Amino acid sequence: MSCQTLPRVLYVTVLGPAATLIPALPSITDKSFIEDCVRIHNELRRRVEPAASNMYYMTWDAALARTARAWSRRCLFKHNIYLREQHQCHPNFTSIGENIWTGSYQIFTVDSAIKSWYNEVNFYTYATQKCTKVCGHYTQVVWDNSYKVGCAVTFCKAVGGARNVAHFVCNYAPSGNYPRKPYVEGGSCTNCGKGDTCENKLCRNKERDKIIYYSRWYPPWDYMIVCDEACLALVALRILLMLLAFVAVCFFKKRFASMHMST
């Protein structure tokens, strides 16, 4: 991790009047949100120029999404301070990357936020690895061996002096932005690994692409109490059992009272 460069934050100026109501933004379990995050990343990864010979296909990761959600909820205009700490941001990966977009919630879309990161390609020269402005968002989006992504968006009343914003965070594993080119130039899929297949210019692998939900893992530093589907089912069962016990007690009290009176 010592050779890793810092992840990047992208800030977009908030426009329009302050909002008085908290807007509805997608959750990390929203199927359309997940599909958009994965689809747009892969669309941009297969678009790189020059072409990449070893670009991995990205799939969703629930643990990365929970980390993104936990950090975005803090509404801070800086990167996750736990990224470099082992197993603080993922139960398996120890190298986690991060991109952040902050801007008016009225203009936020998954598509526009991720494409704004990719558009930093205009400042990046692949042949020389030179960047004239900010390029770290772009290089993380197209980092060849980053194959898992998890994103979250939170409405924040204030972030870095801006008010009423959408705070969008994507975490990546393994992380990118090491001191090298983001991918190996060459014919698409000509440098995929053993066991990989080529799908629309991207290297795919059944083991690598498996979707794991990590139903019992949450960031250990997250102060929010989170209850997943299994937790909710357990809470509902406990409430139901308590109600049944109450009904049973009332029933037996009434029954024994009637028996006592009849004697």
Side-chain angles (χ1 to χ4, degrees):
M1 294 295 292
S2 60
C3 63
Q4 182 183 10
T5 60
L6 290 176
R8 304 290 182 175
V9 178
L10 182 64
Y11 173 74
V12 179
T13 303
V14 176
L15 303 175
T20 56
L21 298 176
I22 297 177
L25 292 171
S27 72
I28 62 171
T29 58
D30 184 296
K31 289 184 178 180
S32 294
F33 176 75
I34 293 172
E35 289 171 0
D36 285 344
C37 290
V38 172
R39 173 182 53 80
I40 295 163
H41 272 95
N42 285 319
E43 285 179 359
L44 297 173
R45 288 166 72 80
R46 63 174 57 100
R47 187 191 298 181
V48 294
E49 290 291 342
S53 65
N54 64 331
M55 186 71 74
Y56 283 174
Y57 179 87
M58 273 190 174
T59 53
W60 186 256
D61 188 275
L64 290 176
R66 289 177 197 145
T67 292
R69 177 180 63 184
W71 190 251
S72 68
R73 283 175 172 172
R74 295 198 176 188
C75 297
L76 297 174
F77 191 57
K78 65 179 182 178
H79 282 286
N80 192 330
I81 61 175
Y82 303 100
L83 289 176
R84 297 176 181 271
E85 297 184 22
Q86 192 170 16
H87 302 312
Q88 292 296 299
C89 294
H90 198 279
N92 296 332
F93 293 105
T94 57
S95 173
I96 308 299
E98 183 175 78
N99 278 346
I100 299 176
W101 180 99
T102 303
S104 171
Y105 75 87
Q106 294 103 323
I107 66 171
F108 169 77
T109 65
V110 171
D111 188 287
S112 63
I114 297 174
K115 284 183 178 178
S116 70
W117 296 333
Y118 181 87
N119 287 341
E120 291 175 3
V121 67
N122 296 318
F123 312 123
Y124 182 76
T125 303
Y126 177 89
T128 61
Q129 287 183 261
K130 298 297 183 182
C131 180
T132 57
K133 290 187 179 180
V134 175
C135 304
H137 301 92
Y138 163 72
T139 50
Q140 176 59 84
V141 168
V142 301
W143 200 259
D144 50 12
N145 66 355
S146 293
Y147 63 92
K148 288 296 183 182
V149 63
C151 306
V153 60
T154 298
F155 173 77
C156 295
K157 292 183 179 180
V159 176
R163 298 187 61 80
N164 301 313
V165 298
H167 201 43
F168 180 60
V169 177
C170 284
N171 286 126
Y172 305 86
S175 66
N177 288 346
Y178 288 87
R180 66 168 175 85
K181 292 180 179 179
Y183 57 87
V184 178
E185 179 183 357
S188 298
C189 296
T190 57
N191 199 26
C192 291
K194 184 178 180 180
D196 286 5
T197 59
C198 184
E199 182 177 310
N200 201 2
K201 300 183 179 181
L202 300 177
C203 304
R204 298 204 64 171
N205 182 287
K206 289 183 179 179
E207 287 300 313
R208 193 167 61 234
D209 295 349
K210 279 183 178 179
I211 305 298
I212 303 174
Y213 293 98
Y214 304 100
S215 60
R216 291 292 178 269
W217 185 88
Y218 293 89
W221 42 268
D222 186 12
Y223 56 82
M224 298 285 290
I225 297 175
V226 180
C227 197
D228 60 14
E229 291 82 358
C231 167
L232 291 172
L234 182 61
V235 171
L237 179 61
R238 287 181 175 177
I239 294 173
L240 178 61
L241 289 174
M242 289 175 63
L243 288 174
L244 289 174
F246 177 76
V247 171
V249 168
C250 291
F251 172 78
F252 284 113
K253 276 187 175 182
K254 185 175 181 181
R255 183 176 178 82
F256 284 122
S258 298
M259 290 175 63
H260 178 75
M261 291 175 64
S262 63
T263 58

